[in-house]
Amino acid sequence: MRSLPFSELIRKQTSVFPLLEDADVLLERRDAENVVLMRDERYRAMDGALRIAARSLALVAKANRVMAEEVLAVELPWLVWLPPEHRSEAVTELLDDLLAGVDTGYYLPFMRNLIAWKHTAQIHTDPSLVAQLTGPFQRAEFSEVQRPGNTG
């Protein structure tokens, strides 16, 4: 993948589009999310491969849910950082999101949940941070906050 500033597309689009022959192009924007340009053929190949892989896992999950969860857990080695009682919960949630993505073609909830669980696992590598986030908490440490949007 080639990276270019978004302004490059605006100023010199005739030099950007030929780059798509050999690679996808990541357009980096300062004030918004980056944009990826790719040829339709590559996009369809990637999307088709993802759908086949996800549907295959879905078929395995329907036949043997435990096996599907084990396969997903092997693919995500950072799960070992989660406390054992939370590993199964994480794998179950991720597999459910992935199967919903197969059905809808919408995988963003899966990716958001994957990132959230990975960050949670990373937090569990630091015992002092875990202790700080899990309490106990003193009532004196709390303060009242206004409801967002409340002007009164």
Side-chain angles (χ1 to χ4, degrees):
M1 181 173 287
R2 300 274 315 261
S3 287
L4 299 172
F6 188 77
S7 57
E8 189 82 10
L9 176 66
I10 295 168
R11 286 183 308 196
K12 304 180 199 173
Q13 51 184 276
T14 55
S15 66
V16 173
F17 288 114
L19 298 174
L20 293 171
E21 289 298 319
D22 299 318
D24 301 331
V25 176
L26 174 69
L27 298 174
E28 298 172 347
R29 302 187 322 174
R30 281 182 287 205
D31 299 332
E33 196 170 342
N34 293 339
V35 174
V36 174
L37 288 177
M38 66 174 38
R39 288 181 36 215
D40 182 61
E41 177 184 36
R42 273 200 300 270
Y43 171 78
R44 289 178 189 274
M46 180 188 68
D47 185 58
L50 173 63
R51 285 181 183 271
I52 288 171
R55 281 190 193 120
S56 297
L57 185 56
L59 291 171
V60 170
K62 286 178 183 169
N64 187 337
R65 179 74 182 214
V66 172
M67 178 191 243
E69 290 177 359
E70 288 173 2
V71 167
L72 191 58
V74 168
E75 187 60 30
L76 306 173
W78 49 261
L79 285 168
V80 299
W81 293 336
L82 288 171
E85 64 272 15
H86 295 299
R87 286 181 202 148
S88 178
E89 178 186 357
V91 171
T92 298
E93 281 185 19
L94 291 169
L95 186 56
D96 287 345
D97 283 344
L98 186 58
L99 297 178
V102 169
D103 191 51
T104 63
Y106 184 62
Y107 295 96
L108 198 53
F110 168 77
M111 284 308 298
R112 286 180 179 148
N113 206 8
L114 178 73
I115 291 166
W117 275 111
K118 188 172 187 177
H119 287 295
T120 301
Q122 290 168 329
I123 287 168
H124 280 281
T125 66
D126 183 347
S128 64
L129 187 54
V130 171
Q132 184 181 358
L133 293 172
T134 57
F137 303 105
Q138 302 299 318
R139 285 198 91 35
E141 296 174 0
F142 298 145
S143 61
E144 192 171 329
V145 294
Q146 294 282 332
R147 179 180 284 273
N150 189 356
T151 58

